[in-house]
Amino acid sequence: MSVFNQSRTYIIRIIFFATFLVILAQLFNLQVLSSKYQQLAQENAVFRKVVYPPRGIVYDREGRAIVNNTLIYDLMVTPSEMRNVDTAYMCQLLEIDTAEFRKRVITAIIKNGRYRPTAFESLLAPEKYARLEENMWRFGSGFFLQERPVRTYPFNAGAHFMGYIGEADSGIINRSGGFYKPGDYVGRSGIEAYYERMLMGQRGVQFLIKDNRNRLVGSYENGEFDSAAIAGRGVQTFIDIEVQQLAEKLMTNKVGAVVAIEPKTGGIIAMVSGPNFSPEALTGPNFKKTYSKFVLDVSRPLLNRAIKGQYPPGSTFKPLGGLVALDQGLITAGFGYPCGGRYYACGIGKPGCTHAGGGHAADLRRAIANSCNSYFTHVYRMAVDNPKWGNVKDGYAKWQEYMNAFGLGIRLGVDLPSEDRGNIPDTARYNKVYRNTWSSCTNLTLGIGQDMMTATPLQLANAMCVIANKGYYYTPHIVKSVDNETPQDTILHKFRQKHEVLTHIPDSAFNAIIWGMQDVVTAGTARAAAIPGINICAKTGTAQNFRIIGGKKVELNENSMFVAFAPRENPKIAIAVVVENAGYGSTSAAPIASLLMEKYLNDTLRPESIKKADAMAARNLMPSILKREQFIFDSLRAVEWFKITKDSAYLRKFWNSTREEQRKRDSINNANKKADTPTAPKPQRVAYHLFEAVLPQEHFMNAGKPTTTHVA
């Protein structure tokens, strides 16, 4: 053998030996080190089924379950196991077409991979579940029904503070660090979100054996590796569900909010936002359709106005202004102001008062009872111009500190997500608006709860707690306790800490405020709120109401405001009511608050109060401007739809509505022209909104005829 051939033989042997070593190493890796194929083999033989736990039950203050659970089913799909599926029949049962079927399968693969179960249709309606349950054998092991506990509401109340649960999206999954998995449901708002970790419970797992046809035939290893689902922990709340139901009834067809708090604890007794909706609307199979409908409603039923509605407090703020001046020693309970009907100290004669002379502001008590604008405007100016602080800007900064201490202009920290802070503008804001040149006369209406000041209904109710408690409050909260609470459960600690705001003010000073507020009910503007045998301390308010429509500032009817606490001797409830576009505080907000206080304090309503409640519930105070806003919003959406699809069907609907409104307007104008003699009876005045719609070019709208866009 030549030397060349001998060398080549060695090379071939080395190659074979190296290949053998590589194969041996890979075999060792696959059989000993790696668990990948063992896992795949096990997934082919063993089915891993997630068992979802029931969420914790929510109870009211009397131990009544106000949120419970019921079972519903998801139809799940594992794409890799889809074999011999009767697709046409499944589409018939689910009432979808084959294109939608394929789209859902592709979505499942993209979302969760081919080998993991994904919801093919979530939260099946009972009739769909019944049809599927009888025919699952037709669809092989690629499809199965997964139990899913969902919420049920025995009293059908509390939608805004309870919130809703929904499937965890990618953002929630990523933020949880993988704790949540695709298909998990989580609290998305309300206390469902705030107390998610306590309410959710712990997922369980069940392992089932599959045969060679992928059919589930029994438990794997007799359930040795199964883990049971652990139900979520129940929570006890301060809510009085009967008061809550009454509040929701009274706010029917109204925009605004109601918040009632127990002053001694900060526990929220009732919280309503109007327009309200049934909590059942955002659970089960109707969720997507209903949620989309609510999102497109300009009245914004999903907005919790109790914690996010920002309103100028108006005269309901005046007792707090009095407390600031008392605390700084600027006034005493006997301080009076010679009000002649207008405030002239700034040279403009504004603001005006509803009273003039007669000693209606002779002292603090009478100034509150008569709601004297001049008195509290002057008291505000005394506070910010106090020589103790050196200049008006430092004096204003100190006044702002008081407001923040009362809980205005800050987030109180209620156990609900997305609370708004309201607005107490700082000096930087006024410096910017007035170019660094302003005085106490510039923003004097802050003294009567106007100018740039806004507050949420929750903040107004909490301010009443400060007065009722003579100087302190607890952070408002809904949940009182959690089942099986441990030292590690710190979530409720902040709600048990007392905030001492003005406890150093003597009771005699507080009494001047409190007795003045009682006079508001016994002899002032809130006499409609009186309850026999109960001393109520209250303050009405009426705030201007504006909206921006089509780039223009439109003044609407005033907002009706009312705050109160009762009984005076031992306050058990503090309340704030705001009804938008409803006029004076005494006409709408005060009667609602009175009925709720009577129900809570007496546990019942008198026969005459029941009639008042029914009458108030029947009053439709929805702002008429909403109809116009909805039309504009929908018409703009129709334009965008046309741009995308070139389908003018939706646009024709809005065009026809605009022309119909114009015909009505022309008809009224013609009738008015005919009634041109003094003896001729004038036609009944009817208000129509001429809708403002943004429309595309007219060639497809009116067969070549020119179109006109009318602006109201």
Side-chain angles (χ1 to χ4, degrees):
M1 182 181 294
S2 67
V3 175
F4 174 76
N5 288 338
Q6 192 175 14
S7 175
R8 187 170 60 179
T9 301
Y10 285 138
I11 293 172
I12 292 172
R13 287 176 180 175
I14 291 171
I15 291 173
F16 272 101
F17 183 70
T19 302
F20 174 75
L21 288 178
V22 171
I23 293 172
L24 186 65
Q26 181 64 7
L27 286 172
F28 180 79
N29 175 58
L30 292 176
Q31 296 184 28
V32 179
L33 301 179
S34 175
S35 61
K36 176 182 177 182
Y37 289 95
Q38 179 184 358
Q39 182 178 349
L40 290 175
Q42 185 166 341
E43 286 181 355
N44 284 331
V46 179
F47 174 72
R48 183 179 184 273
K49 182 179 181 180
V50 176
V51 181
Y52 292 99
R55 289 176 72 85
I57 299 173
V58 181
Y59 301 91
D60 84 335
R61 66 191 303 120
E62 300 297 333
R64 295 168 289 200
I66 57 177
V67 183
N68 214 323
N69 298 292
T70 188
L71 279 179
I72 203 166
Y73 288 83
D74 293 343
L75 177 63
M76 309 294 290
V77 62
T78 308
S80 65
E81 298 182 8
M82 289 177 55
R83 299 180 184 89
N84 302 319
V85 177
D86 190 342
T87 305
Y89 192 60
M90 174 169 281
C91 289
Q92 180 183 340
L93 294 179
L94 293 177
E95 300 173 358
I96 61 176
D97 55 27
T98 54
E100 176 66 18
F101 181 93
R102 287 191 296 270
K103 178 183 175 182
R104 292 187 184 186
V105 173
I106 293 171
T107 301
I109 294 172
I110 295 172
K111 183 178 180 181
N112 212 15
R114 298 182 62 87
Y115 300 98
R116 292 181 178 177
T118 304
F120 188 79
E121 182 162 331
S122 301
L123 306 176
L124 294 166
E127 59 275 10
K128 283 188 180 181
Y129 165 72
R131 293 196 298 263
L132 285 167
E133 201 271 339
E134 291 179 355
N135 294 279
M136 287 305 296
W137 60 273
R138 297 175 182 266
F139 312 126
S141 60
F143 289 90
F144 65 94
L145 294 169
Q146 170 81 59
E147 288 183 357
R148 173 83 63 182
V150 297
R151 291 308 215 181
T152 183
Y153 303 86
F155 293 90
N156 197 30
H160 283 99
F161 71 78
M162 276 308 311
Y164 65 93
I165 58 174
E167 188 172 356
D169 56 28
S170 58
I172 293 174
I173 293 171
N174 293 335
R175 288 193 298 271
S176 73
F179 177 80
Y180 291 110
K181 309 293 182 186
D184 286 353
Y185 276 61
V186 301
R188 302 299 296 267
S189 66
I191 65 172
E192 292 278 17
Y194 195 92
Y195 294 96
E196 165 68 13
R197 289 302 176 96
M198 295 178 173
L199 291 168
M200 68 170 291
Q202 182 176 316
R203 295 182 296 265
V205 179
Q206 185 179 7
F207 294 96
L208 303 170
I209 298 175
K210 296 187 287 187
D211 64 10
N212 61 342
R213 295 186 178 181
N214 278 323
R215 294 176 299 190
L216 301 177
V217 294
S219 179
Y220 174 68
E221 294 291 339
N222 294 320
E224 181 179 349
F225 299 100
D226 294 355
S227 61
I230 301 175
R233 296 158 67 183
V235 297
Q236 317 292 323
T237 71
F238 287 96
I239 296 293
D240 186 317
I241 195 59
E242 292 185 357
V243 175
Q244 177 72 25
Q245 286 179 308
L246 177 60
E248 293 187 10
K249 173 183 176 180
L250 295 173
M251 289 297 291
T252 301
N253 287 323
K254 299 169 184 68
V255 177
V258 174
V259 179
I261 303 176
E262 186 178 67
K264 294 293 190 292
T265 63
I268 294 175
I269 299 164
M271 176 182 285
V272 177
S273 177
N276 194 27
F277 59 91
S278 167
E280 300 282 0
L282 293 182
T283 188
N286 295 323
F287 174 83
K288 290 183 179 179
K289 181 179 179 181
T290 307
Y291 186 84
S292 299
K293 177 184 175 182
F294 287 164
V295 167
L296 298 176
D297 189 339
V298 296
S299 68
R300 305 178 74 186
L302 292 175
L303 178 69
N304 186 354
R305 288 173 168 84
I307 62 172
K308 296 188 74 65
Q310 299 192 37
Y311 305 94
S315 294
T316 62
F317 167 78
K318 291 173 180 176
L320 297 181
L323 284 175
V324 173
L326 286 169
D327 189 52
Q328 292 189 12
L330 298 171
I331 66 172
T332 65
F335 174 81
Y337 187 78
C339 175
R342 306 191 72 83
Y343 186 69
Y344 293 99
C346 287
I348 56 176
K350 291 183 178 180
C353 296
T354 56
H355 296 78
H360 74 276
D363 55 39
L364 179 58
R365 176 175 176 176
R366 277 181 275 190
I368 290 176
N370 294 308
S371 195
C372 180
N373 286 341
S374 295
Y375 185 99
F376 289 100
T377 297
H378 192 70
V379 163
Y380 162 74
R381 294 190 61 229
M382 291 173 68
V384 297
D385 289 335
N386 189 347
K388 180 178 180 180
W389 313 121
N391 59 71
V392 67
K393 293 180 180 178
D394 289 341
Y396 179 83
K398 186 65 178 179
W399 181 86
Q400 184 189 16
E401 284 182 21
Y402 275 101
M403 297 302 104
N404 294 159
F406 288 135
L408 301 180
I410 62 170
R411 292 185 180 91
L412 287 168
V414 65
D415 51 352
L416 295 172
S418 304
E419 177 195 3
D420 276 1
R421 64 174 71 246
N423 185 45
I424 301 294
D426 58 14
T427 54
R429 174 64 174 163
Y430 282 113
N431 288 340
K432 180 178 180 180
V433 172
Y434 296 104
R435 299 183 180 181
N436 224 30
T437 304
W438 55 278
S439 68
S440 61
C441 285
T442 307
N443 53 21
L444 79 173
T445 54
L446 284 174
I448 56 174
Q450 295 182 18
D451 197 68
M452 298 184 193
M453 180 192 300
T454 61
T456 67
L458 177 72
Q459 291 172 330
L460 295 177
N462 184 69
M464 290 301 101
C465 292
V466 175
I467 299 174
N469 293 331
K470 296 183 178 179
Y472 71 88
Y473 73 90
Y474 289 91
T475 299
H477 56 293
I478 292 170
V479 171
K480 181 179 182 180
S481 63
V482 179
D483 288 354
N484 304 316
E485 202 170 332
T486 67
Q488 288 71 40
D489 294 325
T490 60
I491 194 168
L492 292 173
H493 285 187
K494 73 171 186 176
F495 302 119
R496 295 163 181 167
Q497 298 173 2
K498 181 186 288 187
H499 301 276
E500 297 185 301
V501 182
L502 296 174
T503 51
H504 53 281
I505 292 182
D507 284 358
S508 59
F510 268 107
N511 287 337
I513 299 286
I514 291 170
W515 280 101
M517 292 178 69
Q518 180 173 320
D519 291 345
V520 171
V521 179
T522 57
T525 57
R527 280 173 285 187
I531 303 172
I534 298 175
N535 291 321
I536 298 173
C537 301
K539 190 72 190 73
T540 57
T542 305
Q544 288 181 305
N545 185 17
F546 296 96
R547 291 211 186 184
I548 303 300
I549 305 293
K552 298 179 180 179
K553 188 176 182 180
V554 179
E555 183 174 1
L556 306 178
N557 200 11
E558 294 90 348
N559 292 333
S560 179
M561 318 280 291
F562 186 79
V563 293
F565 62 87
R568 186 202 70 234
E569 302 80 3
N570 180 26
K572 296 179 180 178
I573 182 172
I575 193 167
V577 179
V578 178
V579 185
E580 294 184 25
N581 203 51
Y584 294 113
S586 59
T587 59
S588 298
I592 290 174
S594 176
L595 290 165
L596 295 174
M597 288 188 290
E598 180 180 349
K599 173 63 179 174
Y600 181 70
L601 296 174
N602 294 340
D603 198 33
T604 187
L605 291 177
R606 295 165 291 147
E608 56 268 34
S609 296
I610 294 174
K611 292 180 180 178
K612 290 180 182 178
D614 291 339
M616 179 58 69
R619 291 183 64 188
N620 187 339
L621 296 175
M622 296 294 288
S624 59
I625 198 71
L626 290 176
K627 188 176 181 182
R628 179 183 174 194
E629 285 185 322
Q630 189 70 60
F631 185 90
I632 295 171
F633 179 73
D634 289 343
S635 64
L636 290 172
R637 287 177 56 243
V639 170
E640 292 303 316
W641 177 253
F642 170 77
K643 290 178 180 178
I644 296 170
T645 66
K646 305 304 178 184
D647 180 0
S648 64
Y650 291 121
L651 281 170
R652 291 183 184 279
K653 169 186 173 183
F654 294 109
W655 172 248
N656 291 335
S657 296
T658 303
R659 290 193 299 179
E660 178 62 26
E661 290 299 322
Q662 182 62 44
R663 281 197 295 267
K664 291 179 180 178
R665 189 183 184 101
D666 291 342
S667 177
I668 294 172
N669 290 337
N670 291 335
N672 287 333
K673 288 178 180 178
K674 291 179 180 178
D676 54 358
T677 61
T679 57
K682 293 184 178 180
Q684 183 179 359
R685 185 173 182 269
V686 182
Y688 290 104
H689 290 297
L690 180 59
F691 294 125
E692 175 182 307
V694 179
L695 302 176
Q697 296 300 319
E698 60 267 18
H699 67 272
F700 62 88
M701 288 296 301
N702 204 23
K705 296 179 181 179
T707 62
T708 304
T709 299
H710 299 283
V711 180

